[in-house]
Amino acid sequence: MGANEHGVCVGNEGVWTREPIGEDEALLGMDLVRLGLERGSSAREALEVITALLERHGQGGSCKEEPVPFVYHNTFLLADRHEAWVLETAGRYWAAQRIREGSRNISNQLSIGTDITAEHEGLRQRARSQGWWSGAGEFSFAEVFSLEQQPPRMEAAKSRYRAGKELLRQHAGRITAETLMAILRDKDSGICVDSEGFRTAGSMVSVLPRDPALPCVHFFTATPDPSRSVFKPFVFVPGLKPAPQVSSPTFSDDPAKKLPRFQSTVDRRHELYRRHQAALELMERDQERGQELLRQLRDLEKQGLEAVNAMLEGNVAPRPEELAELFFDCVDAEMKFYK
């Protein structure tokens, strides 16, 4: 997931479909997110970039740094100040739905039914040639391209999707950044994953004002488990101060860049990530101290949210240099709590 200076946001998730998954190297979903943001000045343009690359190069390859491949296809959420889209794929084939009102969520499964705004030109012919669709009646992308026998992880995805949809419905018409942060922290629904050796790795919430005079603000945790992390505001402005505390280290002999790949392991955790993990261990070992630390972190997050809300409501006009240092300062403040 990520954002660019044009206010375009893209996130992706893995899905398994009737199209075969390829272990040979191609474009990962994360590659497509990055390239869409690099080349797209609007959500629609990012979508067009991703689908063109997908049709030309395909998708595939392992998504984890382990000798045993972990391969999937991808679905995407794309948004800017004016438009929002869901893009879902199966191999080189795809369907896209423009979201014109309300809210929309995705969760590791195909979810676009008959309401298709744009699609691969050979999508329906592919479905007919494989015997997945007779050509009669309405065409539902999710029904036609979803696996008949779903893997167990897809069953969990269904409950997460339903829970996310319901949580958004409960706040219809009054969804704020704080609302989305709370939903991303919801463990009962499984949206905040913390089980079976897997933990939500990072979270992001973006506020994209329609008024071009107001900046887009992106809140990043840059640490795992949003229920115990701080959402920190980031704004694209000239002279942005780098935050080396959240930059992953580089390696001269990187196992990701050698063939065969991933024959050895390296520690890619940045400094904030390492300190945060140590704090999580403290929270689990000493609940009283852990709760006090969590309260302090929530206070830090609240300060950032209040400052951003005051700016977006026109009550405060921060200097450009303040915005340039905003994310760095928030990361630096969080680091101090972990010492």
Side-chain angles (χ1 to χ4, degrees):
M1 60 195 170
N4 68 19
E5 71 274 24
H6 303 292
V8 180
C9 300
V10 184
N12 85 297
E13 291 193 327
V15 292
W16 291 263
T17 73
R18 279 176 149 168
E19 287 292 329
I21 54 175
E23 294 185 8
D24 292 340
E25 292 193 10
L27 290 170
L28 301 176
M30 290 78 83
D31 294 325
L32 293 166
V33 169
R34 174 178 54 81
L35 291 162
L37 291 169
E38 176 186 277
R39 304 176 186 183
S41 59
S42 67
R44 185 189 295 261
E45 200 168 87
L47 184 148
E48 291 169 352
V49 167
I50 291 171
T51 54
L53 289 168
L54 186 69
E55 291 183 18
R56 182 175 179 182
H57 301 289
Q59 59 182 319
S62 182
C63 303
K64 292 179 71 176
E65 290 197 48
E66 295 178 359
V68 178
F70 180 56
V71 186
Y72 50 73
H73 296 154
N74 292 271
T75 69
F76 302 85
L77 283 173
L78 307 97
D80 60 24
R81 293 177 186 267
H82 305 290
E83 289 189 5
W85 292 79
V86 173
L87 168 63
E88 300 190 334
T89 73
R92 293 176 187 250
Y93 298 92
W94 58 273
Q97 178 187 52
R98 184 175 175 187
I99 311 306
R100 299 183 183 277
E101 62 181 3
S103 58
R104 185 68 155 82
N105 63 313
I106 59 176
S107 183
N108 299 112
Q109 62 186 310
L110 299 182
S111 61
I112 296 177
T114 58
D115 185 7
I116 299 173
T117 311
E119 64 187 71
H120 185 290
E121 65 177 5
L123 180 69
R124 301 187 191 212
Q125 180 54 40
R126 172 66 173 174
R128 293 187 68 172
S129 70
Q130 297 299 303
W132 301 335
W133 181 55
S134 67
E138 286 192 297
F139 176 84
S140 167
F141 180 70
E143 287 183 14
V144 170
F145 279 87
S146 292
L147 289 167
E148 290 182 310
Q149 287 294 111
Q150 302 283 0
R153 61 171 64 93
M154 298 290 274
E155 294 305 317
K158 289 179 182 177
S159 63
R160 281 199 308 275
Y161 177 75
R162 289 193 296 267
K165 190 173 183 178
E166 173 59 20
L167 288 167
L168 289 167
R169 186 198 64 77
Q170 290 174 11
H171 297 277
R174 47 188 174 84
I175 293 174
T176 64
E178 293 92 328
T179 305
L180 292 174
M181 291 173 190
I183 290 174
L184 290 172
R185 286 170 165 149
D186 193 288
K187 286 188 180 286
D188 291 340
S189 65
I191 292 171
C192 182
V193 183
D194 187 13
S195 61
E196 299 176 5
F198 183 82
R199 176 174 282 157
T200 296
S203 298
M204 165 184 160
V205 172
S206 293
V207 180
L208 312 175
R210 288 186 180 274
D211 183 352
L214 296 173
C216 295
V217 183
H218 313 282
F219 294 89
F220 298 99
T221 61
T223 54
D225 189 349
S227 73
R228 296 184 283 187
S229 290
V230 179
F231 282 92
K232 298 167 282 292
F234 175 98
V235 180
F236 283 96
V237 289
L240 198 62
K241 185 174 183 177
Q245 312 97 314
V246 294
S247 295
S248 293
T250 57
F251 303 90
S252 57
D253 196 27
D254 196 320
K257 298 180 179 179
K258 296 168 61 179
L259 293 176
R261 302 196 194 281
F262 311 133
Q263 299 306 296
S264 61
T265 59
V266 292
D267 187 353
R268 299 191 187 278
R269 295 175 302 164
H270 50 64
E271 187 179 358
L272 177 65
Y273 196 113
R274 291 198 305 272
R275 292 200 189 184
H276 177 77
Q277 276 198 313
L280 289 186
E281 292 171 6
L282 166 66
M283 288 180 185
E284 291 165 359
R285 189 172 61 250
D286 186 335
Q287 289 199 353
E288 186 175 341
R289 288 179 63 196
Q291 286 301 311
E292 175 59 22
L293 175 59
L294 187 60
R295 185 191 64 77
Q296 293 172 340
L297 294 175
R298 285 286 187 274
D299 286 345
L300 176 63
E301 180 180 279
K302 184 180 178 182
Q303 291 172 27
L305 277 163
E306 288 175 349
V308 166
N309 288 336
M311 176 182 66
L312 295 177
E313 290 166 4
N315 299 328
V316 176
R319 300 190 307 275
E321 57 269 26
E322 290 179 314
L323 292 179
E325 297 177 1
L326 177 62
F327 185 70
F328 176 94
D329 289 344
C330 289
V331 171
D332 190 55
E334 182 180 353
M335 294 274 287
K336 291 173 181 174
F337 283 112
Y338 298 145
K339 287 186 177 179

